[in-house]
């Protein structure tokens, strides 16, 4: 089955700086890679996703890059703000298979004012 | 994005009782919903896949007689924790998929279950 690794587990960034979280996956059949933000006591919120037919996607301050050859994808947050503080999860799935999401272990991001 | 609700948001029950958690897709129809369990400071663990009008598919190690799932309509799935015990205490989260092959799953706000 799919295995997703995520690094780092914790990340502290000065407000206004950029944050980068990286994930690797094992199953070459995976073709859909979403990123979720989870605040304390709440459910995960989809913030951006990417399919394997593109290498990069951007939405305002958030971007995701995908390297299919190396089987890794990254989340980039620029101009970080205190409200970006949360736990971020990457995930992978195969849209032509069972579409189950396999999650990474999460990154606790803290933005220092 | 699509909205998924869960009810209740938190529940406390006595050991041996059963608890039902509802998951609803509010503005779209979901032929497939997923149930996850999350321990403190841990990732989400898929428990089962719930398909409208058919039996749920459980992940390895998840007791189907313990965690009963019913997907009675295109907007509602329920998870019933039967004969709950303290070790069942956890954060239960559902998600709904917009359409097959779309990939996107929208998550509910979660239900905190505490079994005394």
């Amino acid at each position: 089955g799919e295995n997703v690794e995520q690094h780092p587990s914790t990340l502290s960034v000065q407000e206004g700086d950029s944050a980068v979280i990286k994930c690797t996956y094992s199953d070459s059949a995976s073709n859909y890679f979403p990123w979720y933000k989870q605040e304390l006591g709440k459910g995960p919120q989809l913030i951006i996703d990417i399919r394997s037919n593109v290498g990069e996607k951007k939405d305002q301050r958030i971007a995701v890059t995908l390297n299919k050859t190396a089987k890794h994808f990254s989340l980039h947050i620029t101009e970080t703000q205190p409200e970006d503080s949360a736990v971020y999860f990457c995930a992978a799935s195969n849209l032509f298979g069972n579409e189950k999401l396999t999650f990474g272990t999460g990154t606790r991001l803290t933005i220092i004012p | 994005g699509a909205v998924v609700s869960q009810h209740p948001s938190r529940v406390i029950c006595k050991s041996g009782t059963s608890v039902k958690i509802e998951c609803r897709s509010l503005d779209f129809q979901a032929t497939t919903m997923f149930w996850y369990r999350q321990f403190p400071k841990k990732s989400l663990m898929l428990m089962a896949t719930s398909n409208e009008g058919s039996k749920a598919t459980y992940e390895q190690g998840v007791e189907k007689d313990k965690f009963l799932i019913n997907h009675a309509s295109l907007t509602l799935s329920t998870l019933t924790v039967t004969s709950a015990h303290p070790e069942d205490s956890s954060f239960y989260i559902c998600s709904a998929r917009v359409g097959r092959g779309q990939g996107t799953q929208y998550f509910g706000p979660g239900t905190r279950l505490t079994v005394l």
Side-chain angles (χ1 to χ4, degrees), chain A:
Chain A
E2 175 65 278
N3 181 50
V4 178
E5 295 189 357
Q6 184 172 346
H7 299 281
S9 57
T10 60
L11 178 62
S12 293
V13 173
Q14 206 73 34
E15 182 179 356
D17 288 349
S18 296
V20 180
I21 303 171
K22 299 181 179 181
C23 288
T24 60
Y25 61 99
S26 62
D27 189 350
S28 57
S30 290
N31 50 28
Y32 174 66
F33 308 94
W35 285 90
Y36 288 89
K37 174 184 181 182
Q38 187 177 29
E39 297 177 343
L40 189 63
K42 298 184 179 181
Q45 175 191 6
L46 179 69
I47 56 172
I48 196 167
D49 58 10
I50 191 168
R51 286 162 170 76
S52 60
N53 57 344
V54 297
E56 184 174 0
K57 184 176 179 181
K58 189 174 182 180
D59 182 4
Q60 298 183 350
R61 299 186 296 110
I62 296 174
V64 56
T65 58
L66 171 65
N67 183 326
K68 285 192 300 181
T69 303
K71 293 198 192 74
H72 67 70
F73 55 112
S74 301
L75 176 70
H76 305 252
I77 305 175
T78 59
E79 300 173 19
T80 53
Q81 301 168 2
E83 52 265 36
D84 294 330
S85 295
V87 178
Y88 291 80
F89 291 98
C90 64
S93 75
N94 178 0
L95 295 183
F96 304 123
N98 58 30
E99 297 192 67
K100 294 179 186 178
L101 288 175
T102 300
F103 282 87
T105 49
T107 297
R108 182 172 298 278
L109 175 63
T110 302
I111 307 302
I112 305 167

Side-chain angles (χ1 to χ4, degrees), chain B residues 10-50:
Chain B
R10 58 178 61 228
V11 56
I12 300 173
C13 69
K14 292 183 178 180
S15 191
T17 60
S18 295
V19 174
K20 180 185 283 188
I21 303 170
E22 292 186 348
C23 176
R24 293 181 185 273
S25 55
L26 297 185
D27 51 1
F28 66 100
Q29 293 184 332
T31 55
T32 303
M33 292 182 174
F34 302 88
W35 286 95
Y36 295 83
R37 184 172 181 177
Q38 187 177 32
F39 291 103
K41 298 185 179 181
K42 296 294 184 182
S43 189
L44 286 80
M45 180 188 77
L46 180 65
M47 299 174 65
T49 302
S50 169

